Amino acid sequence: MITLFQITGSSSFAARAALECAGADYEVVDVHPRRRDEAPGFADANPLQRVPALRDGDVRISETGAILLWVGDRFPDAGLAPAVGTTARADHYRWVTWCANTLHVGWWPIMAGFYFSDDEAARASIEARGRDNMARHGAHLESWLSSHEWLAGDLPGVSDIYVYMLVGWANYYDDITLGGDAVADHYARVGALPGVVRARELDDLDERLIRFNPGLRGGKPLD
Ligand SMILES: N[C@@H](CCC(=O)N[C@@H](CS)C(=O)NCC(=O)O)C(=O)O
């Protein structure tokens, strides 16, 4: 049985959406954000105790991008990863890696200035630079999606799910939008996939990826 270690509404959403789209049989362990030691098996699955992390028999895997690539291969019939050796497969690697090393971490200067500085003034300038960078990343996505329905090949795949989550996080801000019409249309297409709809329901998220109940994680109060 596959076990997903998650915090609902966090980065683990993409892993759960991929598992749902794959039709996987899996269980979840809800990790309390401030009491990570209490989740049985979590430190074994990911010594860094960050979510998502996943266990499947002897397999231990963490990092959102790695888990998505793994799910794509673990469930080949779901069509979430293009065939090895194709140009679409190259696009699949490229977009998942770009999400992991650029778009995902591109949010940190905006969402998590405390990673970078204790100084409020410095944080404001770090955030401003982060917003400029996210605008560039949005333009890059817009350019590709203006001529491609999906990021890699002819079917929706794990890279689309990863981008969907990271684009959706812009909804936390009234004044941030990534890309233009093509990105918005892609967000709607991915958001309508049955597995993504189910993952949103399970994670208690609305169509903008905003929590219905901000004080709950995995259906339980935060404190
Ligand atoms: N690079 C990691 C980042 C994961 C991550 O930052 N997860 C957050 C929740 S969204 C977390 O567990 N943070 C706790 C921490 O950094 O200690 C990935 O892509 O999975």
Side-chain angles (χ1 to χ4, degrees):
M1 167 72 86
I2 293 174
T3 304
L4 173 68
F5 297 86
Q6 63 163 13
I7 299 171
T8 52
S10 78
S11 304
S12 56
F13 170 80
R16 187 175 216 174
L19 288 167
E20 287 292 329
C21 287
D25 188 15
Y26 70 101
E27 61 180 8
V28 296
V29 171
D30 288 304
V31 175
H32 190 292
R34 292 192 284 275
R35 296 199 294 273
R36 293 168 188 249
D37 289 333
E38 291 176 7
F42 186 36
D44 172 52
N46 182 8
L48 292 174
Q49 293 190 302
R50 300 175 92 184
V51 296
L54 185 149
R55 189 177 63 208
D56 181 22
D58 292 337
V59 170
R60 307 280 184 275
I61 187 161
S62 54
E63 296 298 319
T64 310
I67 290 174
L68 292 176
L69 291 171
W70 183 87
V71 170
D73 291 348
R74 173 77 168 70
F75 299 94
D77 294 343
L80 295 169
V84 173
T86 60
T87 55
R89 182 75 175 197
D91 291 332
H92 160 79
Y93 290 135
R94 177 168 59 84
W95 282 114
V96 171
T97 303
W98 181 78
C99 282
N101 71 15
T102 302
L103 195 59
H104 199 156
V105 292
W107 277 116
W108 298 159
I110 301 167
M111 288 182 166
F114 54 86
Y115 282 172
F116 302 97
S117 178
D118 290 329
D119 183 280
E120 287 295 325
R123 278 198 207 173
S125 121
I126 288 165
E127 177 174 344
R129 182 67 60 86
R131 283 170 175 256
D132 290 347
N133 287 331
M134 286 306 263
R136 270 195 293 279
H137 304 331
H140 178 53
L141 264 180
E142 179 72 16
S143 164
W144 181 265
L145 288 170
S146 296
S147 55
H148 298 83
E149 186 177 10
W150 306 108
L151 289 168
D154 298 332
L155 295 172
V158 293
S159 56
D160 296 288
I161 292 169
Y162 203 175
V163 159
Y164 169 81
M165 178 180 77
L166 298 173
V167 165
W169 287 356
N171 291 317
Y172 302 163
Y173 301 89
D174 290 337
D175 56 350
I176 301 182
T177 304
L178 294 188
D181 290 348
V183 173
D185 290 349
H186 176 263
Y187 184 80
R189 278 195 297 280
V190 180
L193 297 172
V196 174
V197 173
R198 273 195 306 278
R200 273 203 315 270
E201 286 168 4
L202 291 165
D203 264 25
D204 195 34
L205 303 175
D206 70 14
E207 289 184 357
R208 306 171 74 224
L209 301 188
I210 309 278
R211 289 186 169 96
F212 285 111
N213 298 286
L216 301 182
R217 299 292 182 277
K220 295 198 187 114
L222 257 179
D223 293 314

